[in-house]
Amino acid sequence: MSVDPVIEDPETKRRLDALFVDVEVEDPETAILQLSNEMKLVLEERIDPAWGDARKFLQLGQYFFNDDERHIQYDAGLTGTAEETFMAGHGNCLSMSILFVAAARHLKFDSHFET
């Protein structure tokens, strides 16, 4: 039989209670994959919707990571949303994956995360 500890300090009790409050958040996938209207326009101008998925994939990679284009840099310490990574111009591997998947989905080709 376990007994819950008695917490007498009001501040500690308030903090513990806050851990168990139901918090309503937006869909995490929607939040991290959101693209600004500016980003959408840039992608639509750069990637032709008539191209096949393989060409779209290659062109998107070139746009994001080539020296003479967007040139998004690897930064091990920064995890961001698609928009944050795009605007900052750097992010870790998860950030870059989020950006790539978001852009690919916007461009209507099959894109998903691998675990």
Side-chain angles (χ1 to χ4, degrees):
M1 178 169 154
S2 73
V3 176
D4 290 336
V6 175
I7 300 173
E8 295 182 14
D9 175 35
E11 180 61 16
T12 301
K13 183 174 179 352
R14 184 192 66 75
R15 289 180 182 180
L16 285 172
D17 288 345
L19 291 174
F20 299 101
V21 172
D22 288 332
V23 178
E24 204 171 303
V25 296
E26 64 182 304
D27 175 29
E29 186 170 315
T30 302
I32 66 170
L33 296 174
Q34 187 171 357
L35 301 175
S36 70
N37 289 333
E38 174 191 353
M39 291 170 63
K40 290 175 185 177
L41 288 173
V42 168
L43 291 171
E44 291 163 6
E45 289 174 2
R46 177 64 175 77
I47 309 297
D48 188 332
W51 293 340
D53 284 356
R55 184 167 181 195
K56 288 179 189 177
F57 178 85
L58 290 172
Q59 292 296 316
L60 195 54
Q62 286 181 358
Y63 172 67
F64 284 145
F65 308 118
N66 277 7
D67 291 344
D68 58 343
E69 296 208 45
R70 189 81 189 161
H71 194 56
I72 296 174
Q73 297 288 304
Y74 178 76
D75 180 345
L78 182 66
T79 303
T81 66
E83 188 171 0
E84 290 167 342
T85 304
F86 184 86
M87 297 308 289
H90 54 94
N92 61 19
C93 55
L94 180 57
S95 300
M96 291 182 181
S97 297
I98 289 168
L99 175 58
F100 201 92
V101 168
R105 287 182 181 181
H106 174 71
L107 295 168
K108 310 264 189 281
F109 69 96
D110 186 27
S111 181
H112 57 276
F113 295 98
E114 292 285 331
T115 55

